Amino acid sequence: MRNKRHSAKLQAAGIAIVILSVTALHLITPLDRITLHEIYQRLYYIPIIAAAVLFGMRGGFGAALFASLAYIPHISLHWQHRNFDYSLNQYAEIILFNVIGIVTGVLSDRSRRARARTERTAEELQKAYAELRQTFEQLLQAERLTSLGELSAAVVHEVRNPLGSIKGAVEILEDALPPDNPRREFADIAKREVERLDRLVGEFLHFARPPKPAVAPADVNEIVRSVATLTEQRAATQNVRVELSLAPDLPLLMIDAEQIKQVLLNLTINALQAMPGGGRIMLRTFSANGDGVAIEVEDEGGGVDTAIALRIFDPFFTTKEKGVGLGLSIAYKIAAQHGGSLSVSNSERGATFKLQFPSTPPQSARH
Ligand code: ADP
């Protein structure tokens, strides 16, 4: 900004110098070299037009006025008495200076405004394009998660049915054994293992396809506090401090508190896993986008590599040796089911995951 003002001053000074130089030419040229004087008086148009193009109507008119004031004394002193007709002609030229200065300035102002409008439109278009791209990414993500949910449901269904048959078959075999037969113990083991598998598969389905949120008015600060309490001990063993920065007076949100707690737990555990050498996790709540609410989990674990940033919300994407790669994709889905969003950005020392809710939940998230 200061640079711009500085260069405008330089340009204005340059214009003034040219006008003064043309006037000086008039003054040092003998009056009998009339052709030269005619050429000089037209030279004034160059700084006038330049000022109009650079500074608009005010610049054009200002330069024309300045040229007039510089030129008039020369006419009245040297020409008015010597050649009256010629001096009239020069006064007419002065009027023309001002007309040209004003007209060129008005046109230049107009084109400047048109350019500004075009630039604004281009900026708006770019913003709209970026939003469209983001929506597209979210749609793609939602699509991938839906496929995952359907696939899991199909697999779970296929596994559960044979499990039921195995359990039934074991019970029949067990019934055939006398009560004191030691083999009954094996039947018991088989039944217990089948039940364990059945539970596991059920949990996986629940995990991959979270049920519709059971929404009720909830205090997000309360949820964040309980996540901090739940993770404090583990954090302490890792030399990690869990700090809170909670905005007061946030509105109650229509959300499924248990699901949101699960999401925040996942994010906090990921943050802990990213900081084996200790550090700080900041859990933050604040108002966002007007009357919406945002929750951030910020860590100091070095952040998410830009090469994988687009994939971390994909199901089964993991960079951890024992990772499953479902945590973030499920969190993303839960956020979307609440009409909200989950995004990541890198801060100076680590990653910041931002969970955002609109203040008015969408119809589907209401009971
Ligand atoms: P998992 O934890 O089983 O790997 P997630 O879906 O929770 O599955 O995470 C996917 C990947 O995202 C992780 O393997 C890791 O590469 C990256 N990630 C998640 N949270 C963080 C974080 N706080 N800092 C850096 N990378 C992270």
Side-chain angles (χ1 to χ4, degrees):
M1 190 70 196
R2 251 174 79 184
N3 262 353
K4 224 171 157 183
R5 218 175 295 153
H6 185 65
S7 75
K9 272 188 190 161
L10 277 181
Q11 285 164 342
I15 286 164
I17 288 171
V18 175
I19 291 175
L20 291 175
S21 310
V22 175
T23 310
L25 283 175
H26 274 300
L27 294 176
I28 59 170
T29 306
L31 295 183
D32 53 3
R33 308 290 299 272
I34 202 157
T35 317
L36 278 181
H37 281 282
E38 280 182 344
I39 292 174
Y40 296 158
Q41 88 191 41
R42 266 141 216 159
L43 285 182
Y44 281 121
Y45 286 110
I46 297 173
I48 292 172
I49 291 175
V53 169
L54 288 172
F55 304 112
M57 204 278 276
R58 278 175 21 184
F61 181 54
L65 209 60
F66 185 55
S68 315
L69 292 177
Y71 191 32
I72 286 172
H74 171 66
I75 309 169
S76 66
L77 280 178
H78 300 123
W79 293 105
Q80 206 153 318
H81 315 293
R82 188 186 163 102
N83 186 341
F84 186 70
D85 279 354
Y86 181 61
S87 74
L88 271 188
N89 187 22
Q90 283 167 307
Y91 284 125
E93 189 92 36
I94 283 180
I95 295 174
L96 210 58
F97 286 173
N98 288 277
V99 172
I100 296 286
I102 292 172
V103 171
T104 317
V106 167
L107 291 178
S108 144
D109 277 343
R110 241 186 237 172
S111 89
R112 211 191 316 268
R113 273 199 298 274
R115 202 168 46 232
R117 254 198 318 271
T118 317
E119 272 166 19
R120 249 195 333 269
T121 315
E123 242 169 57
E124 275 162 18
L125 266 177
Q126 209 159 13
K127 219 169 102 195
Y129 176 67
E131 272 167 20
L132 200 69
R133 265 195 72 133
Q134 200 185 357
T135 313
F136 179 68
E137 292 289 343
Q138 281 171 349
L139 271 176
L140 214 63
Q141 186 70 22
E143 166 82 30
R144 279 200 286 260
L145 291 176
T146 310
S147 325
L148 168 78
E150 263 146 31
L151 185 71
S152 314
V155 171
V156 168
H157 190 70
E158 286 304 307
V159 173
R160 265 193 166 164
N161 282 353
L163 278 182
S165 313
I166 294 171
K167 193 172 169 205
V170 171
E171 275 165 357
I172 292 170
L173 288 177
E174 191 184 22
D175 282 348
L177 293 172
D180 53 348
N181 192 313
R183 294 199 172 177
R184 269 185 172 264
E185 197 184 328
F186 296 116
D188 261 354
I189 292 173
K191 265 179 5 192
R192 269 206 309 276
E193 289 303 305
V194 166
E195 272 159 21
R196 198 166 70 88
L197 271 178
D198 191 54
R199 248 194 338 268
L200 204 72
V201 177
E203 271 170 26
F204 178 71
L205 180 62
H206 190 263
F207 191 55
R209 224 176 159 184
K212 282 250 167 297
V215 298
D219 176 353
V220 279
N221 284 346
E222 202 56 52
I223 300 176
V224 172
R225 269 191 220 104
S226 77
V227 169
T229 312
L230 284 171
T231 47
E232 234 160 37
Q233 203 148 15
R234 172 161 175 194
T237 61
Q238 256 183 257
N239 226 356
V240 172
R241 276 173 292 130
V242 180
E243 289 181 9
L244 302 181
S245 161
L246 308 177
D249 309 325
L250 289 177
L252 292 182
L253 290 184
M254 290 297 284
I255 51 176
D256 184 326
E258 273 315 306
Q259 284 191 0
I260 298 307
K261 195 193 284 184
Q262 195 58 49
V263 168
L264 291 175
L265 265 176
N266 270 338
L267 297 179
T268 312
I269 288 169
N270 274 345
L272 280 171
Q273 288 174 342
M275 289 193 291
R280 186 190 74 155
I281 294 178
M282 177 63 113
L283 301 177
R284 202 179 284 120
T285 60
F286 52 96
S287 315
N289 280 352
D291 51 358
V293 170
I295 311 173
E296 276 184 355
V297 179
E298 182 187 298
D299 63 50
E300 296 180 344
V304 180
D305 200 338
T306 39
I308 61 161
L310 274 178
R311 296 166 60 203
I312 61 170
F313 295 107
D314 282 355
F316 302 113
F317 176 82
T318 181
T319 54
K320 298 170 193 165
E321 208 177 313
K322 288 191 178 156
V324 182
L326 278 176
L328 284 181
S329 63
I330 303 305
Y332 191 96
K333 188 162 183 178
I334 290 177
Q337 279 186 338
H338 281 79
S341 63
L342 178 65
S343 57
V344 66
S345 61
N346 279 336
S347 50
E348 208 180 308
R349 315 182 72 164
T352 304
F353 283 85
K354 183 172 180 185
L355 186 59
Q356 205 160 332
F357 299 102
S359 63
T360 335
Q363 214 61 37
S364 64
R366 282 195 196 128
H367 253 350

